[in-house]
Amino acid sequence: MHIMLKGILSKLGLSDDNTSQLEAQKESIAMSGLKVYNSLTKKKEKFTPLQKGLVGMYVCGPTVYSDVHLGNIRTFISFDVIYRYLKYSGYKVRYVRNITDVGHLVGDLDTGEDKIAERAKLENLEPMEVVQKYANGFHEMMSIFNVSPPSIEPRATGHIIEQIEMVQKILDNKLAYVKNGSVYFDTIKFNKKYKSYGQLSGRVIEELFSETRELKNQNEKKNPADFAIWMKADERHLMKWNSPWSVGFPGWHLECSAMSTKYLGEKFDIHGGGNDLKFPHHENEVAQNMGACGCTPAQYWLHSNMLLMNGKKMSKSDGNTITAEQLFSGESEHVSKGYSPMVIRFFLMQAHYRSTIDLSDEALSAAEKGYRKVIEANRFLQSIKAVTETTINEIDTKVNQTIASVYDELDDDFNTPKALARIFELVPVINSFKDGKEEFKNLSQSTIANLQKCFSEVLFDIFGLQDEYESGSNNLSASLDGVMQLVLELRQQARANKDWATSDKIRDTLAKENIVIKDGKDGSSWSLN
Ligand code: AMP
Ligand code: ZN
């Protein structure tokens, strides 16, 4: 439970017992309500985790070989909202989001060069310098967009032993074979045993098996659909490790199988990622996990949809990208002005995570207006202290029904656009109350409290928005610091001129304002008392 909430509860004289009762209540609400669309069964299903009250969720993280673009950011924001809603619903969530720092090859097949190694050569850096540089950039972006950090953020290179062990298990189960130091997953044998290769991505298995690709390594495979789980490295290869089969490196798909198993177990609740990862990445993950332990890893597969720009998928390889910095500054042919991180986050909330959303100047400009409207309404709403309790009338009932429907929409596969539409039905109610309109003047105290709770929970806790006008207070402290530097400089000059009267006057006046000056070897500094 939120520490602040706990504090408030104890101030209200509510014991831990009450708190756990509340938790239990929340849990039971959550257990009954949430439905998620499962890509594996292609159905919307009631969400029931394996262990009551606990959720294990794995989401494929970025390959850190270049700056993240807004498309990548959309995916991580989509899963952030899912993570936040699960937590809000009372679940204890272990959220694992990896960092891919080896094995993801150009072209996503077994043939291209490692994306990170290629970038290391290009930038004349160590591969781990590339990884650090772009992982730092990724984290910075996540923080700018207020994306919560995961519970665990494992890196592939930190789990080579686990990956080797998993390859060995698949070999022991006779679902892989070794060829010239590389290990390939045997899709034909796997499919004979489980009859499920292609189920997640909806690929037609016969087509996959008959595909002929004139590519390097294909002649080592028994079947074109087979894929490498361990690859022998050639001499020029930068990142390689000893293994029973060769000095080499793990396949990209294998790392997620090994890391999800390590931190969430052989069976867990949710596996997520962008829907462009369904094939081959996720299809192969399922096959590897089944190949190693005989069970499907995740109960629910959640796939988020793509961010488009000009109707086309935003993608690095097609050059159809815009960076977050370009959007903030407006320095891009695609926008007429800059947009703030929270306007962009709000814009993304306007689409369901399973739908595409097209980024355009017009759409962002409309989102800016919407964001301002809802944030301003919320600011007024939260400032209402107390109204005289009145009887519950028709308007209260209607408002409370709309509030309940906001949560119903979120329970329906995290439907943020519909929840937002319901929130917007409530904005005129708040504004009419503000304007003292007759119909709304008598809103009851409990309805107002419900509205306050709903707006604050949905906008901030679940959608992860922030009131950017409020963080204007940051600007204020930046300006105060600027002014204080000037004051310190003037005082320094006075001291240099032995003008003790002025220097003391500055110090005493500031002290009255609770600002303390400290004189040290390296000059003076200030702090608030
Ligand atoms: P990558 O770093 O290429 O492995 O991608 C990281 C994540 O971003 C993956 O989950 C992708 O599905 C996702 N992604 C890539 N392009 C887009 C896009 N245009 N819109 C939404 N998600 C994307
Ligand atoms: Zn993955």
Side-chain angles (χ1 to χ4, degrees):
M1 161 153 315
H2 194 285
I3 296 173
M4 224 160 75
L5 186 53
K6 229 173 176 162
I8 293 167
L9 285 171
S10 79
K11 272 192 198 137
L12 290 172
L14 292 169
S15 67
D16 259 9
D17 279 357
N18 297 86
T19 325
S20 48
Q21 260 173 30
L22 259 175
E23 296 273 16
Q25 239 173 32
K26 254 182 147 189
E27 222 173 71
S28 65
I29 294 167
M31 311 261 158
S32 56
L34 182 62
K35 286 204 206 85
V36 300
Y37 181 85
N38 189 351
S39 310
L40 196 63
T41 55
K42 301 181 180 47
K43 277 201 271 275
K44 217 181 257 180
E45 295 172 359
K46 184 172 178 301
F47 179 68
T48 316
L50 293 163
Q51 278 177 278
K52 194 165 178 261
L54 305 178
V55 176
M57 173 161 95
Y58 187 92
V59 171
C60 293
T63 305
V64 281
Y65 72 103
S66 68
D67 290 323
V68 279
H69 59 67
L70 221 77
N72 308 128
I73 292 170
R74 180 195 183 191
T75 289
F76 300 119
I77 290 181
S78 295
F79 285 99
D80 184 42
V81 172
I82 290 173
Y83 176 43
R84 284 166 177 272
Y85 191 62
L86 289 167
K87 283 197 296 181
Y88 161 77
S89 304
Y91 292 112
K92 188 164 184 265
V93 188
R94 180 180 291 167
Y95 175 22
V96 184
R97 189 188 67 206
N98 73 298
I99 293 240
T100 296
D101 56 358
V102 71
H104 193 171
L105 306 186
V106 176
D108 292 353
L109 293 168
D110 303 336
T111 47
E113 194 172 357
D114 186 296
K115 290 188 180 190
I116 286 160
E118 186 185 55
R119 180 54 71 119
K121 280 182 203 154
L122 211 70
E123 293 195 22
N124 210 8
L125 294 171
E126 267 293 311
M128 279 303 124
E129 275 182 293
V130 171
V131 166
Q132 195 62 54
K133 176 176 168 187
Y134 293 110
N136 289 348
F138 168 66
H139 288 139
E140 203 180 310
M141 273 307 146
M142 292 299 96
S143 147
I144 288 174
F145 282 99
N146 199 29
V147 175
S148 338
S151 332
I152 305 176
E153 191 171 55
R155 288 185 179 197
T157 54
H159 297 78
I160 300 293
I161 292 172
E162 288 82 351
Q163 293 173 76
I164 290 176
E165 280 170 4
M166 192 168 226
V167 172
Q168 190 58 57
K169 271 193 188 166
I170 301 171
L171 276 168
D172 292 346
N173 291 339
K174 311 224 169 341
L175 291 171
Y177 54 91
V178 184
K179 189 81 200 228
N180 302 332
S182 290
V183 186
Y184 293 98
F185 192 90
D186 193 327
T187 44
I188 292 213
K189 268 196 180 168
F190 174 79
N191 206 46
K192 257 194 201 134
K193 189 164 177 186
Y194 293 107
K195 314 232 168 345
S196 64
Y197 192 72
Q199 186 192 338
L200 178 68
S201 58
R203 297 281 164 135
V204 180
I205 197 78
E206 288 73 23
E207 280 175 16
L208 285 174
F209 286 171
S210 63
E211 232 173 73
T212 47
R213 300 189 197 124
E214 295 299 324
L215 295 167
K216 195 177 100 188
N217 294 352
Q218 285 298 15
N219 55 355
E220 289 184 353
K221 296 182 188 178
K222 289 190 197 164
N223 187 290
D226 295 353
F227 54 92
I229 49 182
W230 183 267
M231 271 173 275
K232 183 181 172 181
D234 59 32
E235 257 133 51
R236 292 170 307 128
H237 215 90
L238 296 171
M239 290 189 282
K240 46 195 170 189
W241 293 263
N242 282 326
S243 81
W245 316 287
S246 63
V247 174
F249 56 96
W252 169 41
H253 318 307
L254 193 82
E255 66 182 62
C256 287
S257 287
M259 292 188 287
S260 61
T261 307
K262 176 163 172 126
Y263 296 109
L264 299 172
E266 287 179 344
K267 277 186 86 60
F268 54 95
D269 299 300
I270 299 176
H271 193 311
N275 67 4
D276 57 337
L277 298 186
K278 264 191 198 169
F279 190 86
H281 188 55
H282 290 162
E283 191 70 63
N284 291 349
E285 261 191 65
V286 176
Q288 291 162 160
N289 283 76
M290 289 185 82
C293 80
C295 55
T296 39
Q299 296 204 83
Y300 304 95
W301 282 81
L302 268 49
H303 285 104
S304 56
N305 215 324
M306 297 291 105
L307 176 72
L308 313 180
M309 192 160 66
N310 308 318
K312 262 178 59 202
K313 178 188 167 186
M314 189 173 283
S315 134
K316 268 175 263 194
S317 43
D318 295 345
N320 188 38
T321 55
I322 188 162
T323 62
E325 281 95 351
Q326 284 174 315
L327 262 190
F328 301 154
S329 67
E331 278 160 26
S332 158
E333 52 172 334
H334 301 293
V335 285
S336 61
K337 63 190 253 323
Y339 295 97
S340 72
M342 287 307 123
V343 166
I344 299 164
R345 193 163 169 135
F346 179 89
F347 159 72
L348 294 174
M349 294 302 114
Q350 292 176 313
H352 188 264
Y353 78 93
R354 283 190 293 114
S355 307
T356 54
I357 181 167
D358 204 342
L359 186 106
S360 69
D361 195 40
E362 261 175 18
L364 284 169
S365 165
E368 190 168 54
K369 289 197 189 90
Y371 169 74
R372 190 176 294 247
K373 198 169 165 187
V374 78
I375 290 292
E376 271 168 10
N378 176 65
R379 194 107 48 76
F380 168 73
L381 175 66
Q382 303 300 342
S383 73
I384 305 172
K385 293 282 180 284
V387 291
T388 329
E389 185 62 276
T390 49
T391 46
I392 307 275
N393 56 36
E394 227 175 277
I395 186 79
D396 288 286
T397 313
K398 229 177 118 204
V399 167
N400 283 313
Q401 276 168 354
T402 311
I403 291 175
S405 69
V406 173
Y407 296 94
D408 290 343
E409 300 295 4
L410 290 169
D411 263 347
D412 183 13
D413 196 25
F414 317 100
N415 200 327
T416 58
K418 283 200 174 162
L420 198 57
R422 299 297 189 177
I423 290 270
F424 269 96
E425 284 172 26
L426 294 167
V427 168
V429 175
I430 297 166
N431 292 340
S432 300
F433 180 85
K434 185 176 171 181
D435 301 340
K437 291 230 172 89
E438 199 54 43
E439 189 188 1
F440 299 94
K441 227 170 45 193
N442 294 330
L443 272 184
S444 84
Q445 178 65 47
S446 59
T447 305
I448 293 198
N450 288 344
L451 272 170
Q452 288 174 325
K453 186 166 169 288
C454 169
F455 269 59
S456 140
E457 275 175 357
V458 175
L459 296 177
F460 304 125
D461 302 346
I462 300 168
F463 287 0
L465 295 169
Q466 292 166 325
D467 182 343
E468 278 178 345
Y469 313 113
E470 193 173 76
S471 56
S473 57
N474 289 337
N475 296 339
L476 200 65
S477 69
S479 339
L480 177 62
D481 189 52
V483 172
M484 280 308 299
Q485 293 311 325
L486 177 70
V487 174
L488 291 180
E489 215 177 290
L490 292 173
R491 183 168 165 272
Q492 207 51 43
Q493 270 171 23
R495 279 158 64 100
N497 297 336
K498 301 203 170 13
D499 179 1
W500 307 118
T502 305
S503 127
D504 287 348
K505 187 176 174 199
I506 292 175
R507 178 195 286 260
D508 297 343
T509 313
L510 290 174
K512 279 188 201 139
E513 298 300 327
N514 289 327
I515 296 175
V516 189
I517 294 186
K518 281 197 197 101
D519 296 312
K521 279 203 301 307
D522 305 325
S524 307
S525 61
W526 70 276
S527 61
L528 287 171
N529 200 356

